[in-house]
């Protein structure tokens, strides 16, 4: 990975997570960020289709499927990446909706800028333009533009990542959640 920009996704390899859209965005990204490597952590039923997409797009030197990674080792990958991306979307025909997305907070807690789909609970995990960027999860051009914006501007990436880290520390911890729960239970 040395000397290369690193993009990371952590999540089950299922249609809802949007891996295929990131793969289809990569040819645009590679024109601006040559040498990029995209690490995909997780396993699931979409892996064969994703591997075919990688082959069809000639991305064999760019994409690495890492499979399951123990929780204790994920920290190294979050810290190694330059940006985290997972453009999850709702798939209403199957009743699949993305929840809060703890992986976005995990990446933010490592000071990394994050990119996620503008669906489900993700806008609660990512403050658009502050801790990361929200995308139309079915728009490869939008995904590519947001990846390029972060990876081509280290100062912007650092600002988003720093904001995410501060938010993760201040709001995404047990004490903060317990206090919110306590307030919710108080009589009006």
């Amino acid at each position: 990975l040395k000397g290369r920009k690193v993009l990371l996704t952590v999540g089950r390899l299922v249609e809802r997570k949007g891996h295929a859209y990131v793969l289809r965005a990569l040819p645009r990204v590679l024109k601006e960020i040559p040498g990029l490597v995209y690490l995909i952590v997780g396993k699931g039923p979409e892996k064969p289709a994703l591997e075919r997409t990688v082959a069809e797009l000639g991305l064999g030197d760019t994409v690495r499927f890492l499979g399951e990674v123990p929780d204790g080792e994920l920290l190294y990958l979050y810290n190694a990446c330059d940006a985290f991306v997972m453009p999850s979307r709702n798939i209403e025909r199957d009743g699949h909706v993305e929840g809060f997305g703890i992986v976005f907070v995990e990446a933010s807690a490592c000071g990394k800028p994050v990119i996620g789909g503008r669906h489900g609970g993700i806008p609660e995990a990512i403050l658009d333009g502050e801790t990361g960027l929200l995308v139309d999860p079915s728009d490869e051009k939008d995904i590519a533009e947001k990846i390029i914006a972060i990876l081509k501007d280290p100062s912007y990436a650092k600002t988003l990542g720093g904001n995410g880290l501060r938010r993760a520390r201040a709001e995404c911890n047990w004490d903060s959640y317990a206090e919110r729960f306590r307030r919710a239970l108080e009589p009006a």
Side-chain angles (χ1 to χ4, degrees):
L1 302 180
K2 190 171 180 148
R4 297 176 80 176
K5 293 287 186 178
V6 178
L7 194 59
L8 174 68
T9 299
V10 176
R12 282 191 35 78
L13 305 184
V14 294
E15 183 182 2
R16 175 180 89 244
K17 300 292 184 179
H19 299 88
Y21 287 93
V22 176
L23 293 175
R24 288 194 288 271
L26 285 180
R28 277 189 177 99
V29 175
L30 289 166
K31 287 178 185 172
E32 300 288 327
I33 317 286
L36 170 83
V37 64
Y38 177 35
L39 305 178
I40 300 174
V41 173
K43 66 179 189 173
E46 287 292 307
K47 186 175 182 192
L50 296 172
E51 289 174 326
R52 281 191 301 276
T53 301
V54 167
E56 290 166 7
L57 295 173
L59 297 171
D61 292 334
T62 301
V63 179
R64 305 283 183 277
F65 290 96
L66 303 181
E68 272 192 289
V69 172
D71 288 341
E73 295 177 23
L74 277 177
L75 179 63
Y76 298 111
L77 293 172
Y78 283 124
N79 281 303
C81 79
D82 294 285
F84 180 89
V85 62
M86 191 171 74
S88 294
R89 65 192 194 288
N90 298 343
I91 302 179
E92 301 199 12
R93 72 176 188 274
D94 297 328
H96 295 281
V97 176
E98 189 67 34
F100 178 74
I102 193 71
V103 291
F104 297 109
V105 176
E106 290 173 349
S108 290
C110 291
K112 301 302 175 173
V114 294
I115 300 168
R118 194 178 281 113
H119 283 272
I122 295 173
E124 293 178 45
I126 299 174
L127 302 180
D128 192 29
E130 186 177 333
T131 64
L133 301 174
L134 295 174
V135 296
D136 175 340
S138 299
D139 184 343
E140 295 130 25
K141 184 178 180 205
D142 189 25
I143 294 167
E145 288 171 354
K146 299 292 173 41
I147 292 170
I148 292 165
I150 286 174
L151 295 182
K152 283 200 83 157
D153 188 343
S155 175
Y156 183 47
K158 186 174 181 177
T159 297
L160 291 174
N163 290 340
L165 173 59
R166 282 187 289 285
R167 181 172 185 240
R169 286 180 176 161
E171 296 179 28
C172 300
N173 60 65
W174 286 115
D175 290 338
S176 175
Y177 288 121
E179 177 59 24
R180 284 187 242 167
F181 186 68
R182 185 193 61 73
R183 281 189 303 224
L185 294 176
E186 287 180 348

